[in-house]
């Protein structure tokens, strides 16, 4: 509809003409004064007689085209003399009126130019002054079926010229009436940016064209995305009035935001690192869709607390908008609240709203409730991430700082973004499950080092923390029938469940062969192992080191070692420089390469306080560092950590790389000669 009561206040002459003959249906007082000869109900062809008015007839016929606004001269009655000619600029815009108006209507706007100016001078004057006003009206009114509004210079009163705000966006808050300010309707998170744009427009610096959330009618927390275009009408450098349009932008906002956020999370499609999947996803949606997001990986249901039935998260990644209170430390075993339990069981999004900082008691954990109070949260939405029919992870989104809860479109978009990572998350969880199975399998074959008379044993298995892959590393220590000690360490090529399975077979066979070796040395034992693995193993390559340690009567340990393609052991003497035993443990070919290959042995002694360190290559592998340099760094570190007061287990722990830096699994076993230990063992 066209609101002629409001158009009466505009600085233009306005009329609505209908039908193919452009019959005058409605007009404003200014139009009546400018076109006194055009009577209501009269067709344009009759009223606009004469060559001077013919361009206006043509403009009405071409309404909606790209034709520029014409200049026409309109005769004005002059008592006691010839008619005065008033130069006018006009525009003709198709409108879509309410059902009460006839179809095919055109909104005619006319702006007078000073009557004493004509011809080329008139056109020059028009472009410099009044045409600017008309161009603004014409451009904005041509946006029909958007809502077109007009506002007084002091922003105290607003009038809708075309359309009705209540019809746009399904119930947009109608700002008409005294005391209105657009800022009353703007979403708090959009308020500052919109106010800055409005101020810049008032200074004449820029056109205001913004998509913002505007409050819905009758609901203080429901908002809808709208596009507002605003220009001031200036007189002598001051704002005379404002004119603008409001159009629904909900779908436009959704499409653009969806594409942008999906691009942000696309990086997780190729990763196998679960923390990175969580962290990237959380960071992508904050602050666009929520002020805070935490993504929890869940335990399996059968791992819930047997006594209380409580469910726990085993990993969490978070993202927070600026100004939102930190969540504080979250343990790896984080107890979830009743609302989480319901969401997990139902596998449907649950959202609750509440006054700022006052979450309902009992629905969320005590830690979550305390944080919501600090963050002045107004809502929490729990979104299940379902993998193969099971809720594998839970996303918790909160509006904070007193901001309104998310609108339905924002919550729906958040759900869509989270669904987009379900496939990479499923693959990552599958790999983690395989890895978990393999680690259990590996650890079941990694023995607890036995008590040794005259020596100390320690071992550690350190899985790589930056990969979802699994390896075939192992260590072993076996007391042989003659009282000597067999140590072994090895690595099956590959990073999958098959490699872990082959590791268990190989380490078991080596233990059995070592126990029954009799007087055969390590080289013979590895040769027999190589022969067997060729027959029963599918592994492509296995490196291994096998050593037999015998205690002599003078409290020395005589070590015989054979190396099948493995990194050399490190000797850490009680005094002196630690060094790799390259000569004593010169590597032969790995297992499963050439059947019947000749294998060799080396010998050396360990004196009281000396330590022998066997390890897999993960301990000395570093990105961008040569392996020989890494081995030298290991020797220097071992020298710095060596102390008679430090236990062997403590030494091994300190030799491990920092959390997150290991690029491969690490297995280490070490023996320290110590005549004071277990003298009666």
């Amino acid at each position: 509809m066209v609101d002629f009561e409001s158009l009466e206040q505009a600085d233009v002459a306005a009329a609505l003409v209908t039908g193919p003959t452009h019959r005058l249906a409605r007009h404003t007082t200014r139009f009546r004064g400018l076109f006194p000869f055009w009577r209501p109900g009269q067709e344009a062809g009759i009223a606009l007689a004469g060559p001077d008015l013919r361009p206006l007839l043509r403009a009405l016929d071409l309404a909606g085209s790209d034709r520029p606004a014409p200049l026409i001269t309109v005769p004005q009655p002059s008592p006691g003399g010839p008619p005065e000619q008033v130069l006018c600029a006009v525009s003709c815009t198709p409108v879509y009126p309410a059902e009460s108006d006839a179809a095919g209507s055109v909104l005619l706007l006319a702006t007078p130019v000073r009557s004493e100016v004509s011809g080329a001078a008139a056109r020059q004057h028009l472009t410099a002054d009044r045409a600017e006003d008309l161009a603004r009206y014409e451009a904005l009114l041509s946006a029909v079926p958007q809502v077109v509004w007009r506002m007084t210079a002091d922003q105290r009163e607003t009038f809708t010229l075309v359309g009705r705000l209540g019809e746009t966006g399904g119930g947009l808050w109608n700002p008409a009436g005294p005391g209105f300010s657009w800022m009353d309707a703007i979403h708090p998170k959009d308020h500052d940016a919109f106010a800055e744009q409005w101020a810049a427009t008032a200074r004449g610096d820029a056109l205001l064209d913004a998509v913002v959330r505007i409050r819905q009618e009758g609901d203080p927390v429901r908002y809808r995305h709208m596009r507002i275009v605003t220009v001031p009408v200036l007189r002598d450098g001051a704002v005379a009035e404002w004119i603008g349009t409001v159009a629904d932008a909900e779908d436009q906002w959704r499409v653009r935001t969806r594409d942008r956020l999906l691009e942000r999370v696309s990086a997780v499609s190729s990763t196998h690192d679960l923390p990175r999947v969580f962290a990237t996803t959380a960071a992508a949606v904050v602050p666009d869709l929520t002020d805070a997001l935490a993504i929890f990986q869940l335990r399996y249901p059968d791992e819930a607390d047997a006594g209380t039935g409580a469910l726990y998260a085993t990993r969490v990644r978070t993202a927070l908008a600026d100004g939102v209170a930190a969540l504080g430390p979250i343990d790896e075993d984080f107890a979830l609240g009743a609302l989480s339990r319901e969401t997990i069981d139902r596998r449907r999004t649950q959202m609750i709203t509440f006054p700022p900082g006052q979450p309902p008691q009992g629905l969320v954990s005590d830690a979550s409730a305390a944080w919501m109070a600090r963050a002045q949260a107004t809502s929490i939405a729990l979104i299940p991430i379902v993998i193969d029919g099971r809720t594998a992870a839970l996303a918790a989104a909160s509006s904070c700082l007193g901001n309104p809860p998310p609108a339905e479109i924002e919550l729906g978009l958040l759900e869509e973004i989270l669904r987009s990572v379900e496939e990479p998350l499923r693959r990552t969880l599958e790999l983690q499950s395989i890895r978990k199975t393999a680690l259990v399998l590996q650890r079941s074959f990694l023995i607890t080092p036995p008590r040794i008379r005259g020596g100390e044993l320690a071992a550690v298995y350190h899985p790589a923390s930056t990969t979802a892959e699994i390896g075939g590393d192992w260590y072993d220590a076996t007391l042989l029938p003659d009282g000597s000690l067999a140590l072994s360490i090895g690595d099956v090529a590959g990073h999958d469940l098959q490699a872990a399975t082959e590791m268990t077979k190989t380490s078991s066979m080596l233990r059995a062969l070592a126990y029954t070796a009799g007087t055969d040395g390590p080289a013979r034992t590895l040769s027999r192992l190589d022969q067997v693995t060729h027959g029963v193993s599918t592994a492509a390559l296995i490196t291994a080191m096998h050593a037999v340690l015998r205690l002599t009567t003078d409290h020395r340990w005589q070590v015989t070692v054979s190396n099948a393609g493995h990194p050399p052991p490190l000797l850490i003497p009680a005094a002196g420089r630690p060094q790799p035993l390259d000569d004593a443990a010169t590597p032969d070919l790995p297992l499963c390469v050439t059947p019947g290959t000749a294998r060799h042995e080396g010998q050396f002694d360990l004196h009281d306080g000396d330590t022998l360190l066997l390890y897999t290559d993960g301990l000395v592998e570093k990105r961008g560092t040569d392996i020989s340099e890494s081995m030298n760094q290991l020797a220097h570190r071992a020298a710095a950590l060596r102390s008679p007061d430090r236990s062997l287990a403590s030494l091994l722990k300190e030799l491990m790389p920092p959390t997150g830096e290991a690029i491969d699994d690490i297995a280490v076993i070490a023996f320290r000669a110590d005549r004071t230990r277990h003298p009666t063992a």
Side-chain angles (χ1 to χ4, degrees), residues 49-68:
D52 290 339
L53 295 175
R54 192 169 297 142
L56 178 53
L57 274 174
R58 183 66 173 162
L60 288 169
D61 290 334
L62 298 177
S65 68
D66 294 332
R67 177 174 174 151

Side-chain angles (χ1 to χ4, degrees), residues 549-564:
L549 289 73
R550 291 183 172 86
L551 183 62
T552 65
T553 57
D554 58 354
H555 301 291
R556 288 180 298 108
W557 284 89
Q558 187 181 69
V559 183
T560 305
V561 62
S562 184
N563 186 350

Side-chain angles (χ1 to χ4, degrees), residues 33-380:
L34 190 60
F35 294 87
F37 48 85
W38 194 352
R39 298 189 305 275
Q42 192 176 36
E43 296 178 358
I46 297 174
L48 305 178
D52 290 339
L53 295 175
R54 192 169 297 142
L56 178 53
L57 274 174
R58 183 66 173 162
L60 288 169
D61 290 334
L62 298 177
S65 68
D66 294 332
R67 177 174 174 151
L71 288 173
I72 64 171
T73 55
V74 181
Q76 301 290 295
S78 178
E84 181 183 355
Q85 300 294 320
V86 177
L87 186 65
C88 294
V90 297
S91 71
C92 300
T93 305
V95 297
Y96 303 87
E99 294 180 0
S100 59
D101 293 317
S105 299
V106 174
L107 182 64
L108 170 60
L109 301 175
T111 297
V113 179
R114 295 175 185 173
S115 58
E116 67 271 17
V117 183
S118 61
R123 297 181 183 275
Q124 181 180 2
H125 178 75
L126 177 67
T127 58
D129 188 2
R130 303 283 282 184
E132 183 179 355
D133 297 343
L134 180 65
R136 285 175 175 149
Y137 277 94
E138 181 182 2
L140 290 167
L141 289 171
S142 66
V144 174
Q146 302 174 83
V147 174
V148 181
W149 52 268
R150 171 182 169 274
M151 182 187 293
T152 57
D154 57 10
Q155 304 179 31
R156 292 183 179 274
E157 293 188 85
T158 303
F159 310 92
T160 52
L161 304 182
V162 179
R164 182 180 291 119
L165 285 170
E167 295 172 351
T168 301
L172 179 69
W173 181 55
N174 193 332
F180 160 74
S181 168
W182 277 113
M183 303 307 159
D184 298 335
I186 303 300
H187 192 286
K189 293 172 72 172
D190 298 338
H191 185 279
D192 290 347
F194 184 75
E196 184 176 340
Q197 288 179 279
W198 187 284
T201 302
R203 295 191 301 267
D205 296 343
L207 171 75
L208 189 149
D209 187 346
V211 173
V212 295
R213 284 162 285 189
I214 298 182
R215 179 157 59 87
Q216 298 284 275
E217 185 176 13
D219 192 332
V221 296
R222 270 187 75 232
Y223 290 80
R224 189 174 182 87
H225 290 88
M226 309 297 294
R227 182 184 179 189
I228 298 179
V229 179
T230 305
V231 291
V233 178
L234 302 177
R235 291 284 184 275
D236 300 324
V239 176
E241 63 179 3
W242 297 81
I243 188 166
T245 64
V246 178
D248 186 75
E250 196 86 329
D251 291 340
Q252 172 190 342
W253 175 87
R254 184 186 181 282
V255 170
R256 291 183 178 180
T257 303
R258 175 185 180 273
D259 291 346
R260 185 175 71 254
L261 298 186
L262 286 176
E263 183 178 359
R264 288 182 189 175
V265 299
S266 62
V268 306
S269 61
S270 60
T271 184
H272 295 157
D273 183 0
L274 193 61
R276 184 185 172 198
V277 173
F278 284 176
T280 301
T281 305
V285 300
V286 174
D288 294 72
L289 301 180
T290 184
D291 295 319
L293 185 74
I295 303 181
F296 300 89
Q297 182 186 359
L298 304 177
R299 288 184 180 178
Y300 283 86
D302 58 357
E303 293 181 299
D305 186 270
T308 64
L311 196 64
Y312 293 88
T314 59
R315 178 180 285 107
V316 61
R317 287 295 183 272
T318 61
L320 303 173
D322 291 342
V324 176
L327 278 75
I330 297 179
D331 297 333
E332 289 296 300
D333 288 324
F334 182 77
L336 301 171
L339 187 64
S340 298
R341 174 85 266 181
E342 181 181 351
T343 304
I344 292 166
D345 291 342
R346 297 178 63 184
R347 298 195 292 275
R348 291 175 55 188
T349 297
Q350 309 283 329
M351 186 173 80
I352 57 173
T353 62
F354 40 85
Q358 301 177 41
Q361 298 297 315
L363 286 181
V364 297
S365 66
D366 292 343
S368 295
W371 170 77
M372 289 181 190
R374 296 195 309 272
Q376 287 294 286
T378 60
S379 68
I380 181 170

Side-chain angles (χ1 to χ4, degrees), residues 410-554:
E410 294 165 332
L411 188 58
L413 189 52
L414 179 57
E415 290 176 317
E416 184 176 354
I417 297 302
L418 291 171
R419 282 196 301 270
S420 74
V421 301
E422 285 181 358
E423 181 57 28
L425 184 60
R426 183 188 62 79
R427 294 196 305 267
T428 302
L429 289 174
E430 284 180 353
L431 289 172
Q432 284 208 334
S433 178
I434 294 172
R435 179 175 174 78
K436 181 178 179 181
T437 301
L439 288 175
V440 171
L441 188 62
Q442 283 174 310
R443 289 195 169 102
S444 69
F445 284 87
L446 299 176
I447 54 88
T448 301
R451 289 163 57 93
I452 302 297
R453 181 173 62 90
E456 178 185 6
L457 271 175
V460 64
Y461 183 81
H462 185 85
S465 54
T466 58
T467 178
E469 297 176 334
I470 54 177
D473 298 31
W474 90 87
Y475 61 77
D476 195 15
T478 305
L479 285 173
L480 303 180
D482 64 357
S484 57
L485 173 67
L487 297 180
S488 61
I489 196 161
D491 186 1
V492 177
H495 291 87
D496 51 24
L497 186 58
Q498 182 180 357
T501 303
E502 293 301 322
M503 175 275 295
T504 61
K505 292 194 299 185
T506 303
S507 62
S508 297
M509 288 188 293
L510 180 54
R511 177 183 289 188
L513 292 172
Y515 195 82
T516 59
T519 59
D520 291 340
R524 174 59 181 159
T525 300
L526 286 183
S527 293
R528 293 172 63 195
L529 177 64
D530 196 12
Q531 181 181 7
V532 175
T533 54
H534 269 95
V536 301
S537 176
T538 60
L541 185 79
I542 301 173
T543 68
M545 184 177 298
H546 183 53
V548 176
L549 289 73
R550 291 183 172 86
L551 183 62
T552 65
T553 57
D554 58 354

